[in-house]
Amino acid sequence: MRRRLGIPCGLATLVLGFGEALRISPVGAPHRARTVVSLLSPPNTSPALVEHTGGIRAVEVVLAPWAAFELFGVALDDLPAPGAEPADLLGLRVHHLSEQLAQAPGWPARFAILDQFLLRCRGEGRLASERVVAAWQRLEQSRGRVEITALAESVCWSQRQIERKFGQQVGLTPKRLARVLRLQHAAALLSAGHRPGEAASICGFYDQAHLTREFTALTARSPLRFIAEHQSGEGSADRAAGRITSILQEG
C-alpha cells in the first residue's frame, strides 16, 4: 500500500483514471473516506490521505482554479470535499474519455486525447471574471500578503462581492486562499533551510507560534516534522512546479 499526505496548495486537480481506484480520506476522519477512479478537486484548506496499491493508471492535470471553472463550468465552492466524480459533472463523455485513455497505445497518444478533450471543454465552457483572475494573480504574486479590503478595492468590488466571486470561480475566499499561499511560501523557505522564526517573519505570521499553529491546522504536521518527512520521502511527491503538494509515507 502506498500512502501520500496531500496538503493544500491553492490549485485545482483533475484526475482521470483508467485503472485501480484511489482511497481518499480527510486526515483524522477515516469514516469519511471515498474510493474514486477519477476526481475533480477544487482548492482546499484541509490535508487528505491518499492511498493505493501502487498499480494506479491515470492522467492528472493541475490547474489554476479559475481555469478549472472555465473548462468545466461548475461553481467550485459547490463541489464536495475532497472533490467530485467528473462524470457526475460532465456526463458520459468522461466515461468515453477514460475508455480512450485505457485503450491508447502509449502516453503520447493519451496526452493527445486529453488535449483534444480539454480543448472541447474550453470551447463549451465559461469565461472567468477578469477581476477574479487579476485578484488571484495579485494574491499569487504577493504569496498571500495582501489585505483583503485592499484586494477588493483594487478590482472595484466590495469585500462581500469578491468573496462570493472567489468562492464560485476559485473555490476559496481570498482570505482562505491567502492562508494557503502563506503556508506554501513558508514550506518552501523551511525546505530551503530557513529557521521557523525566519520563515514566520518573511511570510507575515505574527510569530513562530502562529506559523506552527497554521502549519499544523493545514497539514496535520508541525513545520519541522513536515519538512523532515517531505525531504526524506521516497522521491518527490510534488505534482506542481513551485508548490510543495504532498509527502510520500511508508506503506
Side-chain angles (χ1 to χ4, degrees), residues 94-179:
V94 173
H95 290 301
H96 180 57
L97 173 64
S98 295
E99 292 173 356
Q100 288 182 301
L101 293 172
Q103 296 167 4
W107 289 105
R110 290 187 180 109
F111 293 142
I113 291 168
L114 178 63
D115 285 345
Q116 293 171 5
F117 171 76
L118 293 177
L119 284 172
R120 287 196 299 271
C121 288
R122 183 65 188 87
E124 300 167 2
R126 311 163 61 177
L127 284 178
S129 164
E130 291 182 358
R131 287 190 271 187
V132 166
V133 176
W136 177 84
Q137 290 174 336
R138 186 175 178 190
L139 272 175
E140 284 277 327
Q141 290 164 0
S142 70
R143 292 169 168 162
R145 297 197 64 182
V146 178
E147 290 291 337
I148 304 308
T149 52
L151 185 69
E153 290 173 0
S154 72
V155 293
C156 301
W157 270 339
S158 68
Q159 188 167 335
R160 184 171 182 178
Q161 283 176 310
I162 199 171
E163 288 175 351
R164 181 171 56 83
K165 289 291 188 180
F166 256 63
Q168 179 190 51
Q169 300 181 21
V170 175
L172 296 174
T173 65
K175 184 176 181 179
R176 295 178 73 197
L177 178 60
R179 286 183 70 197

Coordinates of all heavy atoms in Angstrom, one line a residue, residues 94-179:
V94 N -17.1 11.7 -20.1 CA -15.9 11.3 -19.2 C -15.7 9.8 -19.3 O -14.6 9.4 -19.3 CB -16.1 11.9 -17.8 CG1 -15.0 11.4 -16.9 CG2 -16.2 13.4 -17.8
H95 N -16.8 9.0 -19.2 CA -16.6 7.6 -19.3 C -16.0 7.2 -20.7 O -15.1 6.4 -20.7 CB -18.0 6.9 -19.2 CG -18.5 7.0 -17.8 ND1 -17.9 6.4 -16.7 CD2 -19.7 7.5 -17.4 CE1 -18.6 6.6 -15.7 NE2 -19.8 7.3 -16.0
H96 N -16.4 7.9 -21.7 CA -15.8 7.6 -23.0 C -14.3 8.0 -23.1 O -13.5 7.3 -23.6 CB -16.6 8.4 -24.1 CG -16.1 8.2 -25.5 ND1 -16.0 7.0 -26.1 CD2 -15.6 9.1 -26.4 CE1 -15.5 7.1 -27.3 NE2 -15.3 8.4 -27.5
L97 N -14.0 9.1 -22.4 CA -12.6 9.6 -22.4 C -11.8 8.6 -21.6 O -10.7 8.2 -22.1 CB -12.5 10.9 -21.7 CG -11.1 11.5 -21.4 CD1 -10.4 11.7 -22.7 CD2 -11.2 12.8 -20.5
S98 N -12.3 8.0 -20.5 CA -11.5 7.0 -19.7 C -11.2 5.8 -20.6 O -10.2 5.2 -20.5 CB -12.2 6.7 -18.5 OG -12.3 7.8 -17.6
E99 N -12.2 5.4 -21.4 CA -12.1 4.2 -22.2 C -11.0 4.5 -23.3 O -10.2 3.6 -23.6 CB -13.4 3.9 -22.9 CG -14.4 3.3 -21.9 CD -15.8 3.2 -22.6 OE1 -15.9 3.5 -23.8 OE2 -16.7 2.6 -21.9
Q100 N -11.0 5.7 -23.9 CA -10.0 6.1 -24.9 C -8.6 6.1 -24.2 O -7.6 5.6 -24.9 CB -10.3 7.4 -25.4 CG -11.5 7.5 -26.4 CD -11.7 8.9 -26.9 OE1 -11.8 9.9 -26.2 NE2 -11.6 9.0 -28.2
L101 N -8.5 6.6 -23.0 CA -7.2 6.6 -22.4 C -6.7 5.2 -22.1 O -5.5 4.9 -22.2 CB -7.3 7.4 -21.1 CG -7.5 8.9 -21.2 CD1 -7.8 9.5 -19.8 CD2 -6.4 9.6 -21.9
A102 N -7.6 4.3 -21.7 CA -7.2 3.0 -21.4 C -6.7 2.2 -22.6 O -5.8 1.4 -22.6 CB -8.3 2.2 -20.7
Q103 N -7.4 2.5 -23.8 CA -7.1 1.8 -25.0 C -6.0 2.4 -25.8 O -5.5 1.8 -26.8 CB -8.3 1.7 -25.8 CG -9.5 0.9 -25.2 CD -10.8 1.1 -25.9 OE1 -10.9 1.8 -26.9 NE2 -11.9 0.5 -25.3
A104 N -5.5 3.6 -25.5 CA -4.5 4.3 -26.2 C -3.2 3.5 -26.2 O -2.9 2.8 -25.1 CB -4.2 5.7 -25.7
P105 N -2.4 3.5 -27.2 CA -1.1 2.7 -27.3 C 0.0 3.1 -26.4 O 1.0 2.4 -26.2 CB -0.7 2.7 -28.8 CG -1.3 4.0 -29.3 CD -2.6 4.2 -28.5
G106 N -0.1 4.3 -25.9 CA 1.0 4.8 -25.1 C 0.7 6.2 -24.5 O -0.3 6.8 -24.8
W107 N 1.7 6.8 -23.7 CA 1.4 8.1 -23.1 C 1.3 9.2 -24.1 O 0.5 10.1 -23.9 CB 2.4 8.3 -22.0 CG 2.2 7.4 -20.8 CD1 2.9 6.3 -20.5 CD2 1.1 7.5 -19.9 NE1 2.4 5.7 -19.4 CE2 1.3 6.4 -19.0 CE3 0.0 8.4 -19.7 CZ2 0.4 6.2 -17.9 CZ3 -0.8 8.2 -18.7 CH2 -0.7 7.1 -17.8
P108 N 2.1 9.3 -25.1 CA 1.9 10.4 -26.1 C 0.5 10.4 -26.7 O -0.1 11.5 -26.8 CB 3.0 10.1 -27.2 CG 4.1 9.4 -26.4 CD 3.3 8.5 -25.5
A109 N 0.0 9.2 -27.0 CA -1.4 9.2 -27.5 C -2.4 9.6 -26.5 O -3.4 10.3 -26.8 CB -1.7 7.8 -28.0
R110 N -2.1 9.2 -25.2 CA -3.1 9.6 -24.1 C -3.1 11.2 -24.0 O -4.1 11.8 -23.8 CB -2.7 8.9 -22.8 CG -3.0 7.4 -22.9 CD -2.7 6.8 -21.5 NE -3.0 5.4 -21.6 CZ -2.1 4.4 -21.5 NH1 -0.8 4.7 -21.4 NH2 -2.4 3.1 -21.6
F111 N -1.9 11.7 -24.0 CA -1.8 13.2 -23.8 C -2.5 13.9 -25.0 O -3.1 14.9 -24.8 CB -0.3 13.6 -23.7 CG 0.4 13.2 -22.5 CD1 1.7 12.8 -22.5 CD2 -0.3 13.1 -21.3 CE1 2.3 12.3 -21.4 CE2 0.3 12.6 -20.1 CZ 1.6 12.3 -20.2
A112 N -2.4 13.4 -26.2 CA -3.1 14.0 -27.3 C -4.6 13.9 -27.2 O -5.3 14.8 -27.5 CB -2.7 13.3 -28.6
I113 N -5.1 12.7 -26.7 CA -6.5 12.6 -26.4 C -7.0 13.6 -25.4 O -8.0 14.2 -25.5 CB -6.8 11.1 -26.0 CG1 -6.6 10.2 -27.2 CG2 -8.2 11.0 -25.4 CD1 -6.6 8.7 -26.7
L114 N -6.2 13.7 -24.3 CA -6.5 14.6 -23.2 C -6.6 16.1 -23.7 O -7.5 16.8 -23.4 CB -5.5 14.5 -22.1 CG -5.7 15.5 -20.9 CD1 -7.1 15.2 -20.2 CD2 -4.6 15.3 -19.9
D115 N -5.6 16.4 -24.6 CA -5.5 17.8 -25.1 C -6.8 18.1 -25.9 O -7.4 19.2 -25.8 CB -4.3 18.0 -26.0 CG -3.0 18.1 -25.2 OD1 -3.1 18.4 -24.0 OD2 -2.0 18.0 -25.8
Q116 N -7.2 17.1 -26.7 CA -8.5 17.3 -27.5 C -9.7 17.5 -26.6 O -10.6 18.3 -26.9 CB -8.6 16.1 -28.5 CG -7.6 16.0 -29.6 CD -7.6 14.7 -30.3 OE1 -8.5 13.9 -30.1 NE2 -6.7 14.5 -31.3
F117 N -9.7 16.7 -25.6 CA -10.9 16.8 -24.6 C -10.9 18.1 -24.0 O -12.0 18.8 -23.9 CB -10.7 15.7 -23.6 CG -11.7 15.8 -22.4 CD1 -13.0 15.4 -22.6 CD2 -11.3 16.3 -21.2 CE1 -13.9 15.5 -21.5 CE2 -12.1 16.4 -20.1 CZ -13.5 16.0 -20.3
L118 N -9.8 18.6 -23.5 CA -9.7 19.9 -22.8 C -10.0 21.1 -23.8 O -10.7 22.0 -23.4 CB -8.3 20.1 -22.1 CG -8.0 19.2 -21.0 CD1 -6.6 19.4 -20.5 CD2 -9.0 19.3 -19.9
L119 N -9.6 20.9 -25.0 CA -9.9 22.0 -26.0 C -11.4 22.0 -26.2 O -12.0 23.1 -26.4 CB -9.2 21.7 -27.3 CG -7.7 22.1 -27.3 CD1 -7.0 21.6 -28.6 CD2 -7.5 23.6 -27.2
R120 N -12.1 20.9 -26.3 CA -13.5 20.8 -26.5 C -14.2 21.5 -25.2 O -15.2 22.2 -25.4 CB -14.0 19.4 -26.7 CG -13.7 18.8 -28.0 CD -14.5 17.6 -28.3 NE -14.3 16.5 -27.3 CZ -13.3 15.6 -27.5 NH1 -12.5 15.6 -28.5 NH2 -13.2 14.7 -26.5
C121 N -13.7 21.1 -24.1 CA -14.3 21.7 -22.8 C -14.1 23.2 -22.8 O -15.0 24.0 -22.5 CB -13.6 21.1 -21.6 SG -14.0 19.4 -21.2
R122 N -13.0 23.7 -23.3 CA -12.7 25.1 -23.3 C -13.7 25.8 -24.3 O -14.2 26.9 -24.0 CB -11.2 25.4 -23.8 CG -10.9 26.9 -23.7 CD -10.9 27.4 -22.3 NE -10.8 28.8 -22.3 CZ -11.8 29.7 -22.4 NH1 -13.0 29.3 -22.6 NH2 -11.5 31.0 -22.3
G123 N -13.9 25.2 -25.4 CA -14.8 25.8 -26.4 C -16.3 25.9 -25.9 O -17.0 26.7 -26.3
E124 N -16.6 24.9 -25.0 CA -18.0 24.9 -24.5 C -18.1 25.5 -23.1 O -19.3 25.6 -22.6 CB -18.4 23.4 -24.4 CG -18.4 22.7 -25.7 CD -18.6 21.2 -25.5 OE1 -18.7 20.7 -24.4 OE2 -18.5 20.5 -26.5
G125 N -17.0 26.0 -22.5 CA -17.0 26.4 -21.1 C -17.5 27.9 -21.0 O -18.0 28.5 -21.8
R126 N -17.1 28.4 -19.8 CA -17.5 29.8 -19.4 C -16.2 30.6 -19.2 O -15.1 30.0 -19.0 CB -18.3 29.8 -18.1 CG -19.4 28.8 -18.1 CD -20.0 28.5 -16.7 NE -20.5 29.7 -16.0 CZ -21.0 29.7 -14.8 NH1 -21.1 28.5 -14.1 NH2 -21.4 30.8 -14.2
L127 N -16.3 31.9 -19.3 CA -15.2 32.7 -19.0 C -15.2 33.1 -17.5 O -16.2 33.6 -17.0 CB -15.2 34.0 -19.9 CG -14.8 33.8 -21.3 CD1 -14.9 35.1 -22.1 CD2 -13.4 33.2 -21.5
A128 N -14.0 33.0 -16.9 CA -13.9 33.6 -15.6 C -13.9 35.1 -15.6 O -13.5 35.7 -16.6 CB -12.6 33.0 -14.9
S129 N -14.3 35.7 -14.5 CA -14.2 37.1 -14.4 C -12.8 37.6 -14.5 O -11.9 37.1 -13.9 CB -14.9 37.6 -13.1 OG -14.5 38.9 -12.8
E130 N -12.6 38.7 -15.3 CA -11.2 39.2 -15.4 C -10.8 39.8 -14.1 O -9.6 39.7 -13.7 CB -11.2 40.4 -16.5 CG -11.4 39.8 -17.9 CD -11.3 41.0 -18.9 OE1 -11.2 42.1 -18.5 OE2 -11.4 40.7 -20.1
R131 N -11.7 40.3 -13.3 CA -11.4 40.8 -12.0 C -11.0 39.7 -11.0 O -10.1 39.9 -10.2 CB -12.5 41.6 -11.4 CG -12.7 43.0 -12.2 CD -13.7 43.9 -11.5 NE -15.0 43.7 -11.9 CZ -16.1 44.4 -11.6 NH1 -15.9 45.4 -10.7 NH2 -17.3 44.2 -12.0
V132 N -11.6 38.5 -11.1 CA -11.2 37.4 -10.3 C -9.8 37.0 -10.7 O -9.0 36.7 -9.8 CB -12.2 36.2 -10.5 CG1 -11.6 34.9 -9.9 CG2 -13.5 36.5 -9.8
V133 N -9.5 36.9 -12.0 CA -8.2 36.5 -12.4 C -7.1 37.5 -12.0 O -6.1 37.1 -11.5 CB -8.1 36.3 -13.9 CG1 -6.7 35.9 -14.4 CG2 -9.1 35.2 -14.4
A134 N -7.4 38.8 -12.1 CA -6.5 39.8 -11.7 C -6.2 39.7 -10.2 O -5.1 39.8 -9.7 CB -7.0 41.2 -12.1
A135 N -7.3 39.5 -9.4 CA -7.1 39.5 -7.9 C -6.4 38.2 -7.5 O -5.5 38.2 -6.6 CB -8.5 39.5 -7.2
W136 N -6.7 37.1 -8.2 CA -6.0 35.8 -8.0 C -4.5 36.0 -8.2 O -3.6 35.5 -7.5 CB -6.6 34.7 -8.8 CG -5.9 33.4 -8.7 CD1 -6.1 32.4 -7.7 CD2 -4.9 32.9 -9.6 NE1 -5.3 31.3 -8.0 CE2 -4.5 31.6 -9.1 CE3 -4.2 33.3 -10.7 CZ2 -3.5 30.8 -9.7 CZ3 -3.3 32.5 -11.3 CH2 -2.9 31.3 -10.8
Q137 N -4.1 36.6 -9.4 CA -2.7 36.8 -9.7 C -2.0 37.7 -8.7 O -0.9 37.4 -8.3 CB -2.6 37.5 -11.1 CG -3.0 36.5 -12.2 CD -3.1 37.2 -13.6 OE1 -3.3 38.4 -13.7 NE2 -2.9 36.4 -14.6
R138 N -2.7 38.7 -8.2 CA -2.1 39.6 -7.2 C -1.8 38.8 -5.9 O -0.8 38.9 -5.2 CB -3.0 40.8 -6.9 CG -2.3 41.8 -6.0 CD -3.2 43.0 -5.8 NE -2.5 43.9 -4.9 CZ -3.1 45.0 -4.4 NH1 -4.3 45.4 -4.7 NH2 -2.4 45.8 -3.5
L139 N -2.8 37.9 -5.5 CA -2.6 37.1 -4.3 C -1.4 36.1 -4.5 O -0.6 35.9 -3.6 CB -3.8 36.3 -4.0 CG -4.9 36.9 -3.1 CD1 -6.1 36.0 -3.0 CD2 -4.3 37.2 -1.7
E140 N -1.3 35.5 -5.7 CA -0.2 34.6 -6.0 C 1.1 35.4 -6.0 O 2.1 34.9 -5.4 CB -0.4 34.0 -7.4 CG -1.5 33.0 -7.5 CD -0.9 31.6 -7.1 OE1 0.3 31.3 -7.4 OE2 -1.7 30.8 -6.5
Q141 N 1.2 36.5 -6.6 CA 2.4 37.2 -6.7 C 2.9 37.7 -5.3 O 4.1 37.8 -5.0 CB 2.3 38.4 -7.6 CG 2.1 38.0 -9.1 CD 1.6 39.1 -10.0 OE1 1.3 40.2 -9.5 NE2 1.5 38.8 -11.2
S142 N 2.0 38.0 -4.4 CA 2.3 38.5 -3.1 C 2.5 37.4 -2.1 O 2.8 37.6 -0.9 CB 1.2 39.5 -2.6 OG 0.0 38.8 -2.3
R143 N 2.2 36.1 -2.6 CA 2.2 34.9 -1.7 C 1.3 35.1 -0.5 O 1.6 34.7 0.6 CB 3.6 34.6 -1.3 CG 4.5 34.2 -2.4 CD 6.0 34.1 -2.1 NE 6.7 33.5 -3.1 CZ 8.0 33.6 -3.3 NH1 8.7 34.3 -2.4 NH2 8.7 32.9 -4.2
G144 N 0.1 35.6 -0.8 CA -0.9 35.7 0.2 C -0.8 36.9 1.2 O -1.6 37.1 2.1
R145 N 0.1 37.9 0.9 CA 0.3 39.0 1.8 C -0.3 40.3 1.2 O 0.4 41.3 0.9 CB 1.8 39.2 2.0 CG 2.5 38.0 2.7 CD 3.8 38.4 3.3 NE 3.6 39.5 4.4 CZ 4.6 40.0 5.0 NH1 5.9 39.6 4.8 NH2 4.4 40.9 5.9
V146 N -1.6 40.2 1.0 CA -2.4 41.4 0.6 C -3.6 41.5 1.5 O -4.3 40.5 1.7 CB -2.9 41.2 -0.9 CG1 -3.7 42.5 -1.3 CG2 -1.7 41.1 -1.8
E147 N -3.9 42.6 2.0 CA -5.1 42.8 2.8 C -6.3 42.6 1.9 O -6.3 43.1 0.8 CB -5.1 44.2 3.4 CG -4.1 44.5 4.5 CD -4.4 43.7 5.8 OE1 -5.6 43.3 5.9 OE2 -3.5 43.4 6.5
I148 N -7.3 41.9 2.4 CA -8.4 41.6 1.6 C -9.2 42.8 1.2 O -9.7 42.9 0.0 CB -9.3 40.5 2.3 CG1 -8.5 39.3 2.7 CG2 -10.5 40.2 1.4 CD1 -7.7 38.7 1.5
T149 N -9.3 43.8 2.1 CA -10.0 45.0 1.7 C -9.3 45.7 0.6 O -10.0 46.2 -0.3 CB -10.1 46.0 2.9 OG1 -8.8 46.1 3.5 CG2 -11.0 45.4 4.0
A150 N -8.0 45.8 0.6 CA -7.2 46.4 -0.5 C -7.4 45.6 -1.8 O -7.4 46.2 -2.9 CB -5.7 46.5 -0.1
L151 N -7.4 44.3 -1.7 CA -7.6 43.4 -2.8 C -8.9 43.7 -3.5 O -9.0 43.8 -4.7 CB -7.5 42.0 -2.4 CG -7.5 40.9 -3.6 CD1 -6.2 41.0 -4.4 CD2 -7.7 39.5 -3.0
A152 N -10.0 43.8 -2.7 CA -11.3 44.1 -3.2 C -11.3 45.5 -3.9 O -11.9 45.6 -5.0 CB -12.3 44.0 -2.1
E153 N -10.7 46.4 -3.2 CA -10.7 47.8 -3.8 C -10.0 47.8 -5.1 O -10.3 48.6 -6.0 CB -10.1 48.8 -2.8 CG -11.0 49.0 -1.6 CD -10.2 49.9 -0.5 OE1 -9.0 50.2 -0.8 OE2 -10.8 50.1 0.5
S154 N -8.9 47.0 -5.2 CA -8.1 47.0 -6.5 C -8.9 46.6 -7.7 O -8.5 46.9 -8.8 CB -6.8 46.2 -6.3 OG -7.2 44.8 -6.3
V155 N -9.9 45.8 -7.5 CA -10.8 45.3 -8.6 C -12.2 45.9 -8.6 O -13.1 45.5 -9.3 CB -10.8 43.8 -8.7 CG1 -9.5 43.2 -9.0 CG2 -11.4 43.2 -7.4
C156 N -12.3 47.0 -7.7 CA -13.6 47.8 -7.7 C -14.8 46.9 -7.2 O -15.9 47.0 -7.8 CB -13.9 48.5 -9.0 SG -12.6 49.6 -9.5
W157 N -14.5 46.0 -6.3 CA -15.6 45.2 -5.7 C -15.7 45.5 -4.2 O -14.7 45.9 -3.6 CB -15.4 43.7 -5.9 CG -15.9 43.2 -7.2 CD1 -17.0 43.7 -7.9 CD2 -15.5 42.0 -7.9 NE1 -17.2 42.9 -9.0 CE2 -16.3 41.9 -9.0 CE3 -14.6 41.0 -7.6 CZ2 -16.2 40.8 -9.9 CZ3 -14.4 40.0 -8.5 CH2 -15.2 39.9 -9.6
S158 N -16.8 45.2 -3.6 CA -16.9 45.2 -2.1 C -16.2 43.9 -1.7 O -16.0 42.9 -2.4 CB -18.3 45.2 -1.7 OG -19.0 44.0 -2.0
Q159 N -16.0 43.8 -0.4 CA -15.4 42.6 0.2 C -16.4 41.4 0.0 O -16.0 40.3 -0.3 CB -15.0 42.8 1.7 CG -14.3 41.6 2.3 CD -13.7 41.9 3.6 OE1 -13.4 43.1 3.9 NE2 -13.4 40.9 4.4
R160 N -17.6 41.7 0.2 CA -18.6 40.6 0.0 C -18.7 40.1 -1.4 O -18.8 38.9 -1.7 CB -20.0 41.1 0.4 CG -21.1 40.0 0.4 CD -22.4 40.5 1.0 NE -23.4 39.5 1.1 CZ -24.6 39.7 1.6 NH1 -24.9 40.8 2.1 NH2 -25.5 38.7 1.5
Q161 N -18.6 41.0 -2.4 CA -18.6 40.6 -3.8 C -17.4 39.8 -4.1 O -17.5 38.7 -4.8 CB -18.6 41.9 -4.7 CG -20.0 42.6 -4.8 CD -19.8 43.8 -5.6 OE1 -19.0 44.7 -5.4 NE2 -20.7 44.0 -6.6
I162 N -16.2 40.2 -3.7 CA -15.0 39.4 -4.1 C -15.1 38.0 -3.4 O -14.6 37.0 -4.0 CB -13.7 40.2 -3.7 CG1 -12.6 39.6 -4.5 CG2 -13.4 40.2 -2.2 CD1 -11.3 40.4 -4.5
E163 N -15.6 37.9 -2.2 CA -15.7 36.6 -1.5 C -16.6 35.7 -2.3 O -16.4 34.5 -2.5 CB -16.2 36.8 -0.1 CG -15.1 37.4 0.9 CD -15.7 37.7 2.2 OE1 -16.9 37.6 2.4 OE2 -14.9 38.0 3.1
R164 N -17.8 36.3 -2.7 CA -18.7 35.5 -3.5 C -18.2 35.0 -4.8 O -18.3 33.8 -5.2 CB -20.0 36.2 -3.7 CG -21.1 35.5 -4.4 CD -22.4 36.3 -4.4 NE -22.3 37.6 -4.9 CZ -22.3 37.9 -6.2 NH1 -22.5 37.0 -7.1 NH2 -22.2 39.2 -6.6
K165 N -17.5 35.9 -5.5 CA -17.0 35.5 -6.8 C -15.8 34.6 -6.7 O -15.7 33.6 -7.5 CB -16.5 36.8 -7.6 CG -17.6 37.7 -8.1 CD -18.4 37.1 -9.2 CE -19.4 38.0 -9.8 NZ -20.2 37.4 -10.9
F166 N -15.0 34.8 -5.7 CA -13.9 33.8 -5.5 C -14.4 32.4 -5.1 O -13.9 31.4 -5.6 CB -12.9 34.4 -4.4 CG -11.7 34.9 -4.9 CD1 -11.7 36.0 -5.7 CD2 -10.4 34.4 -4.6 CE1 -10.5 36.6 -6.2 CE2 -9.2 34.9 -5.1 CZ -9.3 36.0 -5.9
G167 N -15.4 32.4 -4.3 CA -16.0 31.1 -3.9 C -16.4 30.3 -5.2 O -16.1 29.1 -5.3
Q168 N -17.1 31.0 -6.1 CA -17.6 30.4 -7.3 C -16.5 30.0 -8.2 O -16.5 28.9 -8.8 CB -18.6 31.3 -8.0 CG -19.2 30.7 -9.2 CD -19.9 31.8 -10.0 OE1 -19.4 32.9 -10.3 NE2 -21.2 31.5 -10.4
Q169 N -15.5 30.9 -8.5 CA -14.6 30.7 -9.5 C -13.2 30.2 -9.1 O -12.4 29.8 -9.9 CB -14.5 32.0 -10.4 CG -15.8 32.4 -11.0 CD -15.8 33.6 -11.8 OE1 -14.7 34.0 -12.3 NE2 -16.9 34.3 -12.0
V170 N -12.9 30.3 -7.8 CA -11.6 29.8 -7.3 C -11.8 28.7 -6.3 O -11.0 27.8 -6.1 CB -10.9 31.0 -6.6 CG1 -9.6 30.5 -5.9 CG2 -10.6 32.1 -7.6
G171 N -13.0 28.6 -5.6 CA -13.3 27.6 -4.7 C -13.0 27.9 -3.2 O -13.4 27.2 -2.3
L172 N -12.2 29.0 -3.0 CA -11.9 29.5 -1.7 C -12.1 31.0 -1.7 O -12.0 31.7 -2.7 CB -10.5 29.2 -1.3 CG -10.0 27.8 -1.1 CD1 -8.5 27.7 -0.9 CD2 -10.8 27.1 0.0
T173 N -12.5 31.6 -0.5 CA -12.5 33.0 -0.4 C -11.0 33.5 -0.4 O -10.1 32.8 -0.2 CB -13.1 33.4 1.0 OG1 -12.2 33.0 2.0 CG2 -14.5 32.9 1.1
P174 N -10.8 34.8 -0.8 CA -9.5 35.3 -0.8 C -8.7 35.1 0.5 O -7.5 34.8 0.5 CB -9.7 36.8 -1.1 CG -11.0 36.9 -1.8 CD -11.8 35.8 -1.2
K175 N -9.4 35.2 1.7 CA -8.7 35.1 2.9 C -8.2 33.6 3.1 O -7.1 33.4 3.6 CB -9.7 35.4 4.1 CG -9.1 35.4 5.5 CD -10.0 35.9 6.5 CE -9.4 35.8 7.9 NZ -10.3 36.3 9.0
R176 N -9.1 32.7 2.7 CA -8.6 31.3 2.9 C -7.5 30.9 1.9 O -6.6 30.2 2.2 CB -9.8 30.4 2.7 CG -10.9 30.5 3.8 CD -12.1 29.6 3.5 NE -11.8 28.2 3.8 CZ -12.5 27.2 3.4 NH1 -13.5 27.4 2.6 NH2 -12.1 26.0 3.7
L177 N -7.6 31.5 0.7 CA -6.6 31.2 -0.3 C -5.3 31.8 0.2 O -4.2 31.3 0.0 CB -6.9 31.8 -1.6 CG -5.9 31.6 -2.7 CD1 -5.5 30.2 -3.0 CD2 -6.3 32.3 -4.0
A178 N -5.3 33.0 0.8 CA -4.1 33.7 1.3 C -3.5 32.8 2.4 O -2.2 32.8 2.4 CB -4.5 35.1 1.9
R179 N -4.2 32.2 3.2 CA -3.7 31.3 4.2 C -2.9 30.2 3.5 O -1.7 29.8 4.0 CB -4.8 30.6 5.0 CG -5.5 31.5 6.1 CD -6.5 30.6 6.8 NE -5.9 29.6 7.7 CZ -6.5 28.6 8.2 NH1 -7.8 28.4 7.9 NH2 -5.9 27.8 9.0

